[in-house]
Amino acid sequence: MELEDLRKNLSAIDRQLVELIAERQRIVGEIGKTKRDSGTGTRDYKREKAVLDMGRAQAEELGVDPDLVEELLRLLIYTSLESQERERVIAEGKGDGRKALVIGGAGKMGRWFAEFFASQGFATTIADVTIEDGPNQYRNWTDAGVDFDVIVVAAPLAVSGRILAQLAVLKPQGLVFDIGSLKTPLIDGLQELHAAGCRVTSLHPMYGPNTRLLSNRHLIFCDVGNSQATADAKELFAATMVEQLDMSLEDHDRMIAYVLGLSHALNIAFFTALAESGEAAPKLARMSSTTFDSQLLVSAAVAEDNPHLYFEIQNLNKFGLGPLDALCAAARRIRETVADGDEAAFVELMERGRDYLAMRS
């Protein structure tokens, strides 16, 4: 056959693949509705494993790369779960005409929450200093008032602390929570809200603004003294597959000093060392390795994020210096073992790290 004929045959198969995916998505929609009607959970890990095992076995029989088939099936499963979760959130919407205000709603995570509430049927209003006044949006959040069923504070950390304190004076009747990645600068405002008798709690979504599927994602809830407010906040996410974690404000910031502070610092140190090395990026790219490429990928994401937020996470956490000191000490130890030619000490560092990381799996 001529090349053009072969390409036409390939295009026909590609069209069939798209048609099959469309049919699969239609069935996925029916499955999702059946699950909702019967009260069955959205995700079934046993079923997912069976699908992947079946795919790998069939791939081997047909002489196709099993890894390719598994990757394709994982993508299809992911999009199916994403679709089912979105439809469940809409079907079981907690809004029912209720009103939500997202302060900082034009920011990345603020937009995520605004869209999340809108999908549940909330009449959603956003307030943000970067926008102009218009329908359901305000430049100054105080102009929106506090007559809302839910108020989310999604502003920068230092600003959020002041907003929470101002809300305590206004005493809103609805549920109030922040989504700060650090609680140290917010504690005073949260406690003032609680003392004023407000329904207040504190959240930290451990996922980014581009997240579309909450399965395998974590959402931290920090009770501020009103257990009913925390329960009400959890109920807003009951239709999703997010894993809800309970944590005290104190424990939160101590853990975050490592989870965010240490990991951010490590990546900043990595790309700072590269930027100041004098080695041209194209030259290093041509000599890349699997480990180097993986680290570059993570570091590039950190470099593209908000530097002011990252500074706040480092600077405003009362536990922040401990992990940074540990990072500096670890780097010094690595340097000393290399400079001294102490292979045994170097091996010990790696083995101890391997044992520690094995506990996480």
Side-chain angles (χ1 to χ4, degrees), residues 68-344:
L68 171 63
V69 172
E70 180 175 342
E71 184 177 352
L72 175 61
L73 288 174
R74 282 189 185 277
L75 179 60
L76 290 172
I77 290 171
Y78 182 91
T79 55
S80 298
L81 288 171
E82 183 181 280
S83 175
Q84 289 183 27
E85 182 179 70
R86 183 169 57 251
E87 290 171 1
R88 174 164 285 194
V89 167
I90 295 171
E92 300 180 11
K94 309 297 178 182
D96 193 25
R98 292 193 294 164
K99 298 187 298 180
L101 170 65
V102 183
I103 302 174
K108 291 182 178 180
M109 286 306 297
R111 284 198 300 271
W112 190 95
F113 273 85
E115 292 170 3
F116 178 74
F117 282 121
S119 73
Q120 294 197 65
F122 279 87
T124 306
T125 297
I126 65 172
D128 198 290
V129 295
T130 65
I131 63 176
E132 299 299 328
D133 288 349
N136 299 319
Q137 63 180 48
Y138 296 86
R139 181 178 178 84
N140 190 334
W141 70 268
T142 56
D143 292 340
V146 294
D147 183 22
F148 293 90
D149 298 284
V150 181
I151 297 177
V152 181
V153 180
L157 290 171
V159 178
S160 290
R162 295 195 293 271
I163 292 173
L164 291 169
Q166 289 176 275
L167 284 169
V169 176
L170 298 174
K171 297 183 179 180
Q173 298 300 304
L175 174 67
V176 179
F177 62 82
D178 72 276
I179 59 168
S181 52
L182 194 64
K183 304 307 179 185
T184 299
L186 310 180
I187 289 177
D188 289 345
L190 291 169
Q191 291 178 341
E192 288 175 29
L193 275 163
H194 178 59
C198 298
R199 295 167 52 216
V200 60
T201 189
S202 186
L203 277 62
H204 182 185
M206 299 296 289
Y207 50 84
N210 295 324
T211 301
R212 298 175 62 186
L213 176 66
L214 291 181
S215 178
N216 287 335
R217 304 291 186 175
H218 296 87
L219 181 56
I220 298 174
F221 293 82
C222 298
D223 198 298
V224 185
N226 187 325
S227 58
Q228 185 56 54
T230 303
D232 292 342
K234 289 182 175 181
E235 182 61 24
L236 294 172
F237 295 88
T240 74
M241 293 180 284
V242 75
E243 185 172 345
Q244 301 182 358
L245 302 178
D246 292 300
M247 194 174 293
S248 70
L249 293 170
E250 184 92 352
D251 285 345
H252 175 276
D253 281 12
R254 191 177 69 254
M255 298 294 185
I256 289 301
Y258 287 92
V259 174
L260 295 184
L262 178 61
S263 59
H264 290 172
L266 179 63
N267 285 284
I268 293 169
F270 177 75
F271 63 63
T272 298
L274 286 178
E276 297 177 354
S277 68
E279 297 293 346
K283 185 189 298 183
L284 289 173
R286 288 195 296 270
M287 298 179 62
S288 64
S289 69
T290 303
T291 304
F292 184 70
D293 287 348
S294 297
Q295 187 63 54
L296 272 181
L297 189 64
V298 177
S299 296
V302 170
E304 288 296 322
D305 220 325
N306 185 341
H308 304 287
L309 171 61
Y310 278 40
F311 178 74
E312 285 187 322
I313 291 172
Q314 300 286 352
N315 179 249
L316 298 181
N317 191 343
K318 64 181 180 181
F319 299 102
L321 290 180
L324 295 182
D325 290 340
L327 176 60
C328 292
R332 282 196 301 271
R333 290 178 64 192
I334 295 170
R335 187 188 187 285
E336 289 169 0
T337 60
V338 173
D340 296 341
D342 192 344
E343 183 177 356

